[in-house]
Amino acid sequence: MSSGIAAQGTVAEGYEAVREEFEATLAEERAGHSAQLAAYVDGQQAVDLWGGPGIEADSLTGVFSSTKGAAHLAVALLVQDGALELDQEVRHYWPEFAAAGKQRITLRELLAHRAGLAGVDGGLTVEELADDRLIAERLAAQRPHWRPGAAFGYHALVIGALTGEVVRRVTGLTMQEFYEKRIRAPYGIDFYMGLPEDQEHRVLDTQPMDPTPEQKRALREGGAGPLSLRGIGFNLNHPELTALETLPNFRVVRAGGPASVGGMANARGLTRMYAAAISGVDGKEPLLTPDTAAEFAQIHSTGYDLVLRQQGAFALGFSAVSDTYPFLGARAFGHSGAAGSQAFADPGRGLAFGYNRRRFAFPGGAAPEAGRLAKAVYDCAA
C-alpha cells in the first residue's frame, strides 16, 4: 500500500514493490529527508527513484566511505592486471612505508584494515584531510597502534590515502587520476573522486544529523576520548575538531576527492559503478573477472573491530555486505557511507544496488532503511 508520498522516477516491470518501500521510507523519516535509490540487474537498470525536498535524480552529495568502494575497485583492477600483488609487502612499492616497524605489512593486510594505522597522530585539519599524499607521508613515518596482522580496526579516514599511495607508486597516477581514466570516464559513472568545478551546480550540502533526545543521550554515552583508537581513527585528536558530517560541504574536500571519504555521487552513479564492475554496462565488458571479484569479496577480517569497538567484518578494501545483509550472496561486496549511503554488487544475482541520502542518518553508516530497500530489490530480482 502506498504511503501517500510519491517518489519520482521509474521502476521496471516486476519492481513495483521497490517503489512502495521507497515511498514508505520517505514517509517514515523526519521532515526534510531526501534520498535516491537505483538498481541494476544483469547490467540493465531496473530501479531509478528519488524523492524529498530539493533533490533530483542527478543531484550530487557527499557519499563519505562509499568512496572506498571506488578506490578499491581501482586497486582490484591493478591486481587483476598484474601490476600489484596482494601478498607483496607494501615497502616493495613504497620504500618509505617500511619505517617504524612496518616492514612486513603486505598489501593484503593493508586492504583488510590490519595495518594498525587507523589515524594520524596529532590529527588533521580539513585541508590535510583533503590531501591524500600528505596523509600517506605522515603515516609512512608513524608506528602502528597495534601489531600489524594481530587484529583489525577500521581505517576510516586514511585507508584510501594509504592504498592510493601504492597506486601512485606503480602507475604514476594518483588514485583519483587512475579512477577517472580507467573507471569513471569510460563507463559514464556519475560518481566523482575529485569533483570538477563545472559540476558544482549539482551539489547539495550534506545536512547534519537530527537525532531524537534519546539518540543524543546515546551519542554522549558512547563518546570516545580523543586519544583512544576510535578518537584517533575519526580525527577527534585534532585540537580544531571538524565535524565529520560537514566534510563534503568544504570545496577543498570535494575538489581533492580524498579516496577514503571525499567522493561525490548520486544513487545512479553508485549503482552504475558496481554494475560496471560485475556485469558491464552499455555493451562494455565487466571491469572485474569473476575470480578477481571473488577474491576481493572474500572476508579477511572478522571479530572485534578495535576502532569501531564492535563486531564487524571486512573483505579487501570493501566491507563484507553479506555479513550486514544475510539475504545477499556470500560473494557480495560494497561499502556504505557515514551519511547513510549503501552500495554493493552481488555477482550471484547480477545485482548492483545504490542508495543515497542527504541528511546524516543516526548513528552514522548505512542508514537503517537501506537494508529494507536492498531486500525489496533483491526479492524482486529473485
Side-chain angles (χ1 to χ4, degrees):
M1 174 177 281
S2 173
S3 66
I5 295 182
Q8 299 182 70
T10 60
V11 296
E13 183 178 356
Y15 288 81
E16 293 81 6
V18 177
R19 178 187 287 274
E20 292 181 6
E21 185 64 41
F22 183 64
E23 290 177 342
T25 68
L26 293 177
E28 289 169 6
E29 284 286 319
R30 301 177 75 179
H33 174 60
S34 301
Q36 303 158 324
L37 175 67
Y40 279 68
V41 179
D42 296 329
Q44 301 297 315
Q45 192 167 52
V47 176
D48 183 26
L49 297 172
W50 63 96
I55 203 163
E56 302 293 339
D58 66 347
S59 298
L60 299 169
T61 73
V63 294
F64 293 88
S65 289
S66 289
T67 312
K68 294 178 176 73
H72 296 122
L73 178 55
V75 174
L77 280 175
L78 288 168
V79 171
Q80 183 171 278
D81 292 346
L84 291 173
E85 296 179 16
L86 289 169
D87 294 312
Q88 183 63 262
E89 292 168 347
V90 174
R91 65 174 179 167
H92 175 79
Y93 307 110
W94 176 11
E96 297 90 334
F97 183 81
K102 302 192 298 297
Q103 299 92 328
R104 299 198 179 280
I105 298 174
T106 65
L107 179 58
R108 188 185 297 276
E109 289 173 321
L110 182 61
L111 286 163
H113 297 267
R114 305 186 70 84
L117 297 168
V120 175
D121 291 345
L124 298 158
T125 65
V126 169
E127 290 74 16
E128 290 168 340
L129 281 165
D131 187 344
D132 278 349
R133 290 191 62 185
L134 180 146
I135 294 170
E137 182 179 354
R138 287 185 58 180
L139 287 174
Q142 184 172 299
R143 182 167 295 281
H145 289 104
W146 62 83
R147 183 169 63 81
F152 77 100
Y154 187 34
H155 292 42
L157 301 180
V158 301
I159 189 67
L162 292 164
T163 55
E165 186 62 17
V166 175
V167 168
R168 191 180 73 84
R169 296 297 177 112
V170 299
T171 67
L173 302 173
T174 65
M175 178 80 87
Q176 292 78 3
E177 290 166 343
F178 182 83
Y179 167 75
E180 175 70 20
K181 179 179 179 180
R182 186 75 181 273
I183 299 170
R184 198 206 69 78
Y187 284 81
I189 297 168
D190 209 10
F191 182 171
Y192 294 86
M193 205 189 305
L195 186 70
E197 194 164 0
D198 64 8
Q199 298 300 314
E200 280 285 327
H201 66 282
R202 296 198 283 144
V203 171
L204 297 179
D205 281 358
T206 298
Q207 297 173 330
M209 192 184 299
D210 184 21
T212 65
E214 294 77 13
Q215 290 171 339
K216 286 180 181 178
R217 184 166 57 252
L219 287 172
R220 286 195 301 271
E221 291 172 354
L227 298 182
S228 67
L229 274 176
R230 185 179 177 89
I232 293 167
F234 286 92
N235 205 46
L236 305 181
N237 57 334
H238 193 274
E240 298 175 8
L241 179 63
T242 299
L244 176 65
E245 301 173 44
T246 67
L247 281 183
N249 298 342
F250 292 92
R251 171 59 190 164
V252 67
V253 174
R254 297 194 298 272
S260 298
V261 292
M264 302 295 297
N266 46 48
R268 287 176 172 176
L270 289 166
T271 311
R272 188 174 175 88
M273 184 185 75
Y274 282 102
I278 63 166
S279 303
V281 292
D282 299 340
K284 294 183 173 66
E285 290 294 312
L287 284 162
L288 300 183
T289 66
D291 280 351
T292 303
E295 180 150 35
F296 272 75
Q298 191 176 53
I299 293 174
H300 278 63
S301 296
T302 185
Y304 186 75
D305 184 309
L306 294 178
V307 175
L308 297 179
R309 299 188 301 175
Q310 62 188 33
Q311 295 296 115
F314 284 100
L316 290 179
F318 297 94
S319 60
V321 287
S322 62
D323 183 64
T324 305
Y325 306 133
F327 55 86
L328 294 179
R331 288 180 173 169
F333 62 96
H335 218 292
S336 63
S341 62
Q342 178 64 278
F344 60 79
D346 186 346
R349 285 287 182 196
L351 174 64
F353 172 89
Y355 175 67
N356 190 33
R357 53 178 282 159
R358 185 180 183 188
R359 183 179 297 283
F360 227 81
F362 177 86
E369 71 271 15
R372 299 195 303 270
L373 293 165
K375 183 64 163 62
V377 171
Y378 184 89
D379 288 345
C380 290

